[in-house]
Structure formats: structure tokens, C-alpha cells
Amino acid sequence: MSSGKKQVLPRQRLQELLSLIDNSQTLDVDVEEALVGIANDFVERVVTASCQLAKHRGSSTLEVKDVKLHLERNWNIRVPGYHAEEVKQVRDIRGSDAQHKQRMALVQKELANPAKRRPKGPELTRAQKRDLVREQQARQRAEAAAAEAAATGEKDAEENGGEAAEAAEAAPQDTGNSLFLPDES
């Protein structure tokens, strides 16, 4: 590499590692450069982040526990030989048994109060509610038109022989309990 930095993983060591895996394989020059660059970048990132952890802990010295913490948390890499130092402390997120019993008592109290319970049965979707409102509005318009027609129909009935009144009587009667449109048969 021409950047002037010391390489963490020299090309010769990379070839030795490859020969441990398979003696018959060789690395292309571009692949060697890429692997060396990746190794250098990885070490630089780990050291930088570990130094930030050391600084956060108030130390001016980079220690193994800083590197170990960064590798475990960010890269999921466990460093052999250093796990016996610390035991992970896991916080109990559930709380105490008394708190749990208190919460459960509140839930049981709410369930026992029928006034606060939600109604049983299927809930209507927005589209179903919208359709019901539109149906009610259409019924109201039809009733208003029928009432108007009935009022003018009395006059027309005298003139036309009662045809409008008969048409109003033949219209289907709505009970208001239907969720569906009436069949047009």
C-alpha cells in the first residue's frame, strides 16, 4: 500500500494464512490489497472506538476491557481468555413480585367493572361505518322526497287519479335495523 501506514496484516502473513488453509490456492494481487485494506480499516475502527470507551470511562489508557467491550457489543466477537474477568449483569426488567401482583390486581379490577368493559361483538370498520352513514342519509333523502311527493301527490292525485300515492305506498319500508342494502328482486 502506498499510504505510508504500517500494515496490520502484511502480505507475506496473508499468504502464510492461506497456505494453512490450502497450499494449492494463491491470492490475486488485487485480492491481497483488498484484504490488507479491510484488516487495516477494521483495526483502525476498533482502536478508535475502544479509545472512545476508555475516554468515556475517564481513563487515558486503552485497556483490554475497552477493546473487548467494543468487539462484543458492535461486532459480536468474543475474545477467548477474557470472559472470566467480568460477569454480565442483567437487569430484571419485570420488577418485583409485589409490583407484578399490584398490576395484576388493577387489571382484574378493571375486568370486573362491567361499565368500563368494551362491548362484545364485532367492531365496524371505518368503511362499514361510512357505508352505514351513507345509507341512513340516502334513506332520509328518500323519506323526505316521499313526504314531499305525498304532499304534492295529494294535489296530483286529485288531478292524475292517485298514481303518485300508489307509487309511494309501493316503496319498500325500512325498519332501520338492516346493515345491508335491501334486495332488489
Side-chain angles (χ1 to χ4, degrees), residues 35-53:
L35 289 174
V36 168
I38 290 170
N40 287 336
D41 186 47
F42 175 75
V43 170
E44 184 177 327
R45 287 181 187 207
V46 169
V47 169
T48 301
S50 300
C51 287
Q52 289 174 346
L53 287 171

Side-chain angles (χ1 to χ4, degrees), residues 64-118:
V64 172
K65 63 183 177 182
D66 301 316
V67 177
K68 175 184 166 280
L69 180 65
H70 175 73
L71 289 174
E72 285 181 357
R73 296 281 171 98
N74 297 326
W75 296 94
N76 200 24
I77 296 175
R78 308 283 184 246
V79 181
Y82 294 101
H83 291 288
E85 293 176 6
E86 300 175 16
V87 175
K88 288 185 180 180
Q89 295 179 355
V90 178
R91 184 177 65 118
D92 187 13
I93 59 172
R94 293 179 299 160
S96 69
D97 286 337
Q99 291 172 335
H100 175 69
K101 288 178 182 178
Q102 182 182 13
R103 285 190 303 268
M104 289 305 294
L106 285 173
V107 168
Q108 293 299 327
K109 181 180 174 184
E110 290 295 319
L111 290 175
N113 188 354
K116 291 187 176 181
R117 271 195 228 154
R118 290 176 37 151

Side-chain angles (χ1 to χ4, degrees), residues 20-185:
L20 290 174
I21 297 169
D22 189 358
N23 278 333
S24 64
Q25 295 291 324
T26 59
L27 290 176
D28 188 34
V29 176
D30 293 335
V31 175
E32 282 181 1
E33 287 180 16
L35 289 174
V36 168
I38 290 170
N40 287 336
D41 186 47
F42 175 75
V43 170
E44 184 177 327
R45 287 181 187 207
V46 169
V47 169
T48 301
S50 300
C51 287
Q52 289 174 346
L53 287 171
K55 185 177 179 182
H56 177 72
R57 143 178 97 75
S59 176
S60 60
T61 305
L62 180 63
E63 296 180 10
V64 172
K65 63 183 177 182
D66 301 316
V67 177
K68 175 184 166 280
L69 180 65
H70 175 73
L71 289 174
E72 285 181 357
R73 296 281 171 98
N74 297 326
W75 296 94
N76 200 24
I77 296 175
R78 308 283 184 246
V79 181
Y82 294 101
H83 291 288
E85 293 176 6
E86 300 175 16
V87 175
K88 288 185 180 180
Q89 295 179 355
V90 178
R91 184 177 65 118
D92 187 13
I93 59 172
R94 293 179 299 160
S96 69
D97 286 337
Q99 291 172 335
H100 175 69
K101 288 178 182 178
Q102 182 182 13
R103 285 190 303 268
M104 289 305 294
L106 285 173
V107 168
Q108 293 299 327
K109 181 180 174 184
E110 290 295 319
L111 290 175
N113 188 354
K116 291 187 176 181
R117 271 195 228 154
R118 290 176 37 151
K120 299 275 184 186
E123 300 251 346
L124 296 177
T125 64
R126 285 185 179 177
Q128 290 171 327
K129 289 178 184 177
R130 182 192 65 225
D131 292 343
L132 283 175
V133 168
R134 288 181 180 167
E135 287 175 22
Q136 289 173 348
Q137 291 172 344
R139 268 190 237 109
Q140 289 172 351
R141 284 192 300 268
E143 289 172 1
E148 184 179 326
T152 58
E154 292 173 4
K155 294 178 186 175
D156 290 342
E158 294 171 4
E159 296 172 5
N160 297 332
E163 294 173 8
E166 291 172 6
E169 289 175 6
Q173 297 296 319
D174 182 27
T175 62
N177 295 333
S178 173
L179 291 177
F180 303 100
L181 293 175
D183 291 336
E184 295 185 25
S185 38

